[in-house]
Amino acid sequence: MPDVFIDNQRFYNPVDYVLQQIGGTWKAPVLWRLRTKTLRYSELEKDIPHISQKMLTKTLRELEKDNIIEKKVYAKVPPHTEYSLTAKGKMIIPLIESIRNTGLELMKEEGIDYDAMIKEEKKNVLKK
Amino acid sequence: MPDVFIDNQRFYNPVDYVLQQIGGTWKAPVLWRLRTKTLRYSELEKDIPHISQKMLTKTLRELEKDNIIEKKVYAKVPPHTEYSLTAKGKMIIPLIESIRNTGLELMKEEGIDYDAMIKEEKKNVLKK
DNA sequence: CAGTATCCAATATGATACTG
DNA sequence: CAGTATCATATTGGATACTG
């Protein structure tokens, strides 16, 4: 497995190349929410549990740099920005679904029904 | 996306759960080499470019802990250990192939033919 | 052969306060 | 609203030396 240089950065192999772009804790949660719709900064912040402003901003900047998402700024007061997937971003979504499905399978082997947990959560949100 | 607790560890979502087990720089290179055969510690060390002893050992311990690989020790002098995939490890290989294939596709969009690079490398190894 | 142990630098992440 | 700046901590990973 030879090294590859792209944009002056070195990658050890194709998996490394992908995981540098969509790996880590926060990239998948952002992309997952953008898969069906455009969202604002504040919507992402509200929707993604545990994410800090710092990590959300960093994640967005990296996804932009790698041309996976694009940002649209409406120069108004108060400011309004929207994030959406690029063509490359849309190419990557099926892979995230594959990773997610593998996760659901592995959880099932551990006796956990994650889809049921999501439904429970939605019910509780509505109660409040 | 609710949190999940498995073996006293918290995961934010199914993708997080998978990437904690096979993400990072070194897990995929190890699993990729074990996908077709059992290998010894020293063989993995020789085959994986750039990996340090420390990272190889750490990676192997984590993959064992997560029941993705298993270790067989032959109590001889000198020592002889073999690593191979478990059933769970074999379940995960197709996902690594998917990630890898996505990487090959993305590289192609950047004008890089990685398969050709591998062939070049093999030729050069034979020359020496 | 197959690891451990130790030291050190770089990166990741959270918390908090501040701003155009 | 959508960020930045700063401080502090934890984790990651390389280099080197040592060991049953």
Side-chain angles (χ1 to χ4, degrees):
Chain A
M1 301 290 124
D3 296 355
V4 183
F5 287 82
I6 296 168
D7 291 336
N8 267 331
Q9 235 217 303
R10 179 210 287 183
F11 303 98
Y12 290 157
N13 54 62
V15 173
D16 186 30
Y17 184 54
V18 170
L19 292 184
Q20 298 248 1
Q21 296 183 68
I22 65 159
T25 307
W26 303 115
K27 293 208 176 145
V30 168
L31 296 177
W32 185 248
R33 280 157 185 85
L34 293 179
R35 79 191 184 285
T36 54
K37 52 180 179 294
T38 292
L39 287 171
R40 297 174 65 163
Y41 183 92
S42 53
E43 294 175 313
L44 288 166
E45 195 181 6
K46 259 189 304 182
D47 269 19
I48 302 175
H50 308 293
I51 199 167
S52 64
Q53 276 195 331
K54 179 173 172 177
M55 281 302 106
L56 178 54
T57 299
K58 186 170 183 265
T59 300
L60 292 170
R61 289 303 90 81
E62 288 175 9
L63 290 171
E64 276 181 83
K65 173 184 68 61
D66 288 331
N67 192 33
I68 293 168
I69 64 170
E70 59 192 356
K71 176 182 180 176
K72 200 167 172 181
V73 181
Y74 297 86
K76 301 188 300 187
V77 179
H80 179 150
T81 64
E82 282 182 357
Y83 293 94
S84 58
L85 295 181
T86 61
K88 179 177 171 187
K90 286 172 191 160
M91 269 182 61
I92 289 175
I93 292 297
L95 178 61
I96 298 198
E97 288 180 23
S98 295
I99 300 173
R100 190 183 146 84
N101 286 332
T102 300
L104 292 176
E105 252 186 274
L106 292 179
M107 285 180 172
K108 209 172 205 170
E109 307 247 327
E110 300 289 330
I112 292 165
D113 184 345
Y114 193 76
D115 286 327
M117 288 178 64
I118 292 177
K119 282 180 194 162
E120 262 318 299
E121 191 185 44
K122 278 188 187 156
K123 269 203 291 184
N124 290 331
V125 169
L126 291 176
K127 275 184 198 166
K128 289 171 196 173
Chain B
M1 302 290 122
D3 295 356
V4 182
F5 287 83
I6 296 169
D7 292 335
N8 267 330
Q9 236 217 303
R10 179 211 286 183
F11 303 98
Y12 290 158
N13 54 63
V15 173
D16 185 29
Y17 183 55
V18 169
L19 292 184
Q20 297 249 2
Q21 295 183 67
I22 65 159
T25 308
W26 302 116
K27 300 236 175 114
V30 168
L31 295 177
W32 185 248
R33 280 157 185 86
L34 293 178
R35 79 192 184 286
T36 53
K37 52 179 180 291
T38 292
L39 286 172
R40 297 174 65 164
Y41 182 94
S42 54
E43 294 175 312
L44 287 166
E45 195 179 6
K46 258 189 305 184
D47 269 21
I48 302 175
H50 308 293
I51 199 168
S52 64
Q53 277 195 330
K54 178 174 171 175
M55 282 301 107
L56 178 53
T57 299
K58 184 168 183 267
T59 301
L60 292 170
R61 290 302 91 82
E62 290 176 7
L63 290 172
E64 277 181 81
K65 172 183 69 61
D66 288 331
N67 192 32
I68 292 169
I69 64 171
E70 59 192 355
K71 177 183 180 177
K72 199 168 174 181
V73 180
Y74 296 86
K76 300 190 300 186
V77 179
H80 179 149
T81 64
E82 282 181 359
Y83 293 94
S84 58
L85 295 181
T86 61
K88 179 177 171 186
K90 286 170 191 160
M91 268 182 63
I92 290 174
I93 293 297
L95 178 62
I96 298 199
E97 287 178 23
S98 295
I99 300 173
R100 188 183 147 85
N101 286 333
T102 300
L104 292 175
E105 251 187 275
L106 293 178
M107 284 180 173
K108 209 172 205 169
E109 306 248 326
E110 300 289 331
I112 291 167
D113 184 345
Y114 193 75
D115 287 327
M117 287 178 64
I118 292 178
K119 282 179 194 163
E120 262 318 299
E121 191 185 43
K122 279 189 186 155
K123 270 202 290 185
N124 289 332
V125 169
L126 290 175
K127 274 184 200 167
K128 289 173 194 172

